[in-house]
Every structure is written in structure tokens, then in C-alpha cells.
Amino acid sequence: MHEMKRYARAFVMISTELGKERDVVRKLMELSEVEEAHIVPGDFDIIAVLKVERDIVAPTGEEVMDVVLDKVGRISGVKDTRTIIPTHSFTKAPE
């Protein structure tokens, strides 16, 4: 029997300790679920894009939050996170 899989995407806004942005980005990029990480100005220091593989019957939010709580939130220098899980996503085909 073939196990059906799909991916859930999430955007995680991360606040870091002062001066720890680059260290946190380096650690984020070591996680298999992190596709992108951007240092940004404003209320948050980093925006990370996650792609989390999940079983077709598992709730999307639960598996994403496992990654955020168990991996992202435990990185040294991370102070706070906010997570956005899109309900519908659209992309343009590469040119």
C-alpha cells in the first residue's frame, strides 16, 4: 500500500535576542523543514518559510506547530515566534 503524503507550508515570524539574527538564521537553515529564512526590519527579526511533510489524515496545524515548538523555538537566541498557516496558496510558474 502506498502511503499518501503532502506538504503543509507555514510562515514563522521570529524575534531574536539583540545581535543573534545571523546565528539563528544559520541554525534555521540546518532544519530540513526550513526552505527560506529572511532577516527583516520591523516587529520581527526573521521570517522563515517552512515546508512540513505530513500524513494526509493528520491536522496541518498540529504538525507545523510540532516543528515550531520542538525545533524553531528551541534554537538559542529565539525569543518569540508567530506562525501563519495559509489555508489556500497560489504560485506562478517559473518563467
Side-chain angles (χ1 to χ4, degrees):
M1 185 164 121
H2 177 45
E3 186 176 1
M4 292 178 62
K5 298 272 188 186
R6 71 178 200 154
Y7 293 91
R9 278 203 193 282
F11 303 91
V12 183
M13 281 79 64
I14 303 166
S15 295
T16 67
E17 295 172 7
L18 186 62
K20 296 292 185 179
E21 299 86 356
R22 286 183 175 85
D23 294 338
V24 171
V25 165
R26 278 192 280 279
K27 289 294 186 185
L28 284 169
M29 296 309 293
E30 292 175 5
L31 301 177
S32 62
E33 298 87 355
V34 175
E35 285 195 319
E36 302 173 29
H38 308 270
I39 296 174
V40 297
D43 293 337
F44 295 95
D45 303 304
I46 299 167
I47 297 175
V49 180
L50 305 183
K51 183 178 177 183
V52 179
E53 187 175 22
R54 68 177 195 87
D55 295 324
I56 197 73
V57 296
T60 300
E62 184 177 310
E63 296 207 355
V64 168
M65 291 314 296
D66 285 347
V67 172
V68 173
L69 295 173
D70 297 340
K71 295 182 178 184
V72 175
R74 293 185 182 194
I75 293 173
S76 178
V78 171
K79 287 180 16 182
D80 190 24
T81 63
R82 300 276 167 88
T83 304
I84 297 171
I85 302 170
T87 58
H88 295 80
S89 297
F90 306 90
T91 59
K92 289 184 177 182
E95 294 182 24

